[in-house]
Amino acid sequence: MPEFPYSRLRRWPDVEADNLQAYDATDLLLVEWALALDVPGDEITVIGDEYGAITLALTDAGRPGIRVHQDLATGRRALARNAADLGLAGFVPHELDASLLAGARLVLVQLPKSLAELEQIADAVTRWAAPDVVLVAGGRVKHMTLGQNEVLGRRFAQVQAQRAERKSRLVVASEPRPAPADPPFPVTAQHDGLTLVAHGGAFAGPRLDIGTRVLLEVLGLAGAQFSKNSESGDGEGRDSAGAPGGSDRSGGVVHGGGAALDVIDLGCGTGALAAAYALAHPEARVIATDRSAAAVASARATAAANGLADRILVTHDDAGSELPDASADVVLLNPPFHLGTSIHTGAATRLFDAAARLLRPGGELFTVFNSSLGYRAELTRIVGATQQLHRTAKFTVTRSIRR
């Protein structure tokens, strides 16, 4: 059998760069482990296959019927594109639910960054897979922790780490323990009038991350608890002049003078920004969008928990690509600065490009980012005139006016 052409795989539509590739040694180890076992494709589940390397290599090796779950919309599109390019078919995409795992005897997992996401995956496997299921999880050694073994150990009686190869390592979990009556996710937390709901793979879980808190405060959407918990600073660089409708006494920005605005929470996570905006502006039409399926499920649950299910449309999309051009008056953005385990600003740049496309002329982009990243010049170049509304040692909030 000819060797699978891993080098032909692409990350597109995710960020592509010389130091970013569409497969790694962990993918190869997981494929090699699966091929050494006599498990048919329809009894194999793959979770976290970033760009399809595991699924497509096994399909190409004669294991049709593999079920696959990818959290990111970019990964799903890359898998479909890579499959078409290689002329491969026969695998079946699923969400993280019973249909993904029913009857599965071998589950291959690219270890996620968060222990909460791994816990939800492990719970799902023990809850829905075959009684004799074996879970094989892999990752780059430098990113692996004993905490991952502990999470698996709570769900499986046997957890064995394998010898490291090519700077990657596999962990084999077997003999699943009985699943608890209630799944551990989603989880819920209250934040001074705002309810957040989070699945395991959602960034920051049910907490309000510091950047979101700062942006809510500057926008005038934060209650007393938000303000008390947000990062302290002396207000250096705060400037709310020039916003439509001016600014309120607390420095929060007032939008549109009561007009019904079209608002997009771009990269919405658990939907904190979308929900807070919708609660403060009942007349607004709000869309929340994220490339993470876990985030989308969380944002929908957050909207429902706050009585906003009929007012916030939540979409699983890549940088709002399915939303119409020039359809928004306001975009809210707390961009990531990681691509998987790599620090890379390309993800933020893609979202700046998306905001520029989505905003109407004169529309506003409100962005919060780590002060060290210095995105102001890039925002001015991509979107339009950008001013600093607030700055602390850690976070900067800017407003960009679409040219």
Side-chain angles (χ1 to χ4, degrees), residues 375-392:
Y375 283 143
R376 185 173 177 179
E378 186 172 11
L379 285 163
T380 298
R381 176 177 60 82
I382 294 174
V383 181
T386 297
Q387 64 181 141
Q388 180 176 288
L389 299 181
H390 184 70
R391 182 182 176 90
T392 70

Side-chain angles (χ1 to χ4, degrees), residues 38 56-58 65 83 100 123 140 155 158 165 189 198-199 225 238-239 244 252 278 347 383 392:
D38 186 22
L56 295 178
L58 292 177
L100 172 73
D123 175 80
R140 302 296 278 170
R155 301 295 179 174
Q158 298 292 327
E165 298 182 52
H199 286 265
Q225 186 66 31
R238 180 186 292 275
D239 177 7
V383 181
T392 70

Side-chain angles (χ1 to χ4, degrees), residues 115-159:
L115 294 180
E117 184 174 1
L118 180 60
E119 182 180 0
Q120 185 165 12
I121 291 169
D123 175 80
V125 172
T126 59
R127 189 173 299 278
W128 294 315
D132 62 345
V133 65
V134 174
L135 183 154
V136 183
R140 302 296 278 170
V141 171
K142 64 182 179 180
H143 300 306
M144 298 178 73
T145 68
L146 291 177
Q148 294 167 332
N149 292 34
E150 293 169 2
V151 168
L152 293 174
R154 292 196 290 268
R155 301 295 179 174
F156 294 87
Q158 298 292 327
V159 177

